[in-house]
Amino acid sequence: MIIAYESKTGFTKRYAEMLAAKTGMKLFRVNELSKTEINEEIVFLGWLKAGKIQGLNKVRKFNVKAVCATGTGSAEENNAKTIISRNKLGNIPFFYVQSGCLPLKDLKGIDRFMMSMFAKVLKKQKDKDKKIIEAIDHIENGFDGVKEENLIPLIQWLNSR
Ligand SMILES: Cc1cc2nc3c(=O)[nH]c(=O)nc-3n(C[C@H](O)[C@H](O)[C@H](O)COP(=O)(O)O)c2cc1C
């Protein structure tokens, strides 16, 4: 089995590299995959953009055995069932790990626009609880939630095969 990943700002890449270091599996960026890997079993890691796992469509023609999404939301905020159905994962084993985000000022183009709109919506809410205040802070100032321990369920699944 090999690891393939899609990452724009580097958080998912860090998880993919950690997983490779822990398991000894070979690591590929999605765009590096070629016909040579067509029969390889793949564990795919991709970041969430408005609930959609980035890079997933590019690996669908490969032999994907597990999918791991990363995002700024906590595991409780990012409901697995919703992500599975939104991304048409069917019965493929799914994992979610919280990653992080760059500060808004370091994002560019459409990503920056979407995140600033999201922050605006959150700020407009009247009764902001702790989670909403934290989410606004993460968007504006950035947040790094990458932790090796978050990969434990995925590593356990790999070991159980
Ligand atoms: C436009 C945009 C939309 C995002 N949508 C989500 C989302 O729906 N859920 C989530 O948890 N994180 C979301 N994020 C946060 C990213 O998934 C997170 O920053 C991720 O770590 C980026 O991965 P990368 O560093 O590997 O590129 C979004 C970020 C951007 C810029």
Side-chain angles (χ1 to χ4, degrees):
M1 192 176 263
I2 59 171
I3 302 164
Y5 71 94
E6 174 87 20
S7 181
K8 192 166 183 179
T9 58
F11 292 95
T12 311
K13 180 173 187 247
R14 279 164 58 202
Y15 272 123
E17 285 171 350
M18 264 179 206
L19 190 62
K22 281 257 161 208
T23 60
M25 287 156 75
K26 271 201 198 167
L27 184 62
F28 295 81
R29 256 184 188 277
V30 162
N31 288 340
E32 290 169 351
L33 292 174
S34 68
K35 279 185 188 154
T36 323
E37 285 79 42
I38 207 78
N39 292 319
E40 293 270 11
E41 294 188 331
I42 291 179
V43 51
F44 172 69
L45 289 86
W47 61 286
L48 279 178
K49 182 170 179 171
K52 284 275 194 180
I53 305 171
Q54 302 302 292
L56 182 62
N57 285 338
K58 294 184 203 159
V59 286
R60 284 202 196 266
K61 61 175 180 282
F62 291 90
N63 188 9
V64 178
K65 290 292 181 199
V67 170
C68 177
T70 91
T72 38
S74 65
E76 301 83 64
E77 283 160 337
N78 275 316
N79 180 271
K81 267 192 187 162
T82 312
I83 302 176
I84 290 167
S85 98
R86 188 111 208 261
N87 292 276
K88 300 187 171 61
L89 291 180
N91 291 325
I92 300 175
F94 173 76
F95 301 85
Y96 174 77
V97 291
Q98 188 175 33
S99 54
C101 58
L102 293 182
L104 195 53
K105 66 173 175 47
D106 294 343
L107 293 177
K108 291 183 182 73
I110 186 80
D111 287 351
R112 182 168 175 166
F113 176 74
M114 283 173 76
M115 287 309 258
S116 62
M117 293 311 276
F118 187 42
K120 242 187 198 171
V121 170
L122 292 174
K123 278 181 173 175
K124 272 195 182 153
Q125 297 202 12
K126 278 202 184 115
D127 299 312
K128 293 188 217 30
D129 62 16
K130 229 175 107 188
K131 279 189 180 160
I132 293 178
I133 293 166
E134 192 181 72
I136 297 168
D137 176 60
H138 286 172
I139 294 171
E140 290 185 334
N141 303 313
F143 155 71
D144 185 352
V146 176
K147 287 190 204 118
E148 205 169 272
E149 69 201 46
N150 291 342
L151 286 174
I152 291 173
L154 175 56
I155 291 171
Q156 280 175 345
W157 178 82
L158 287 167
N159 289 339
S160 73
R161 296 184 85 233

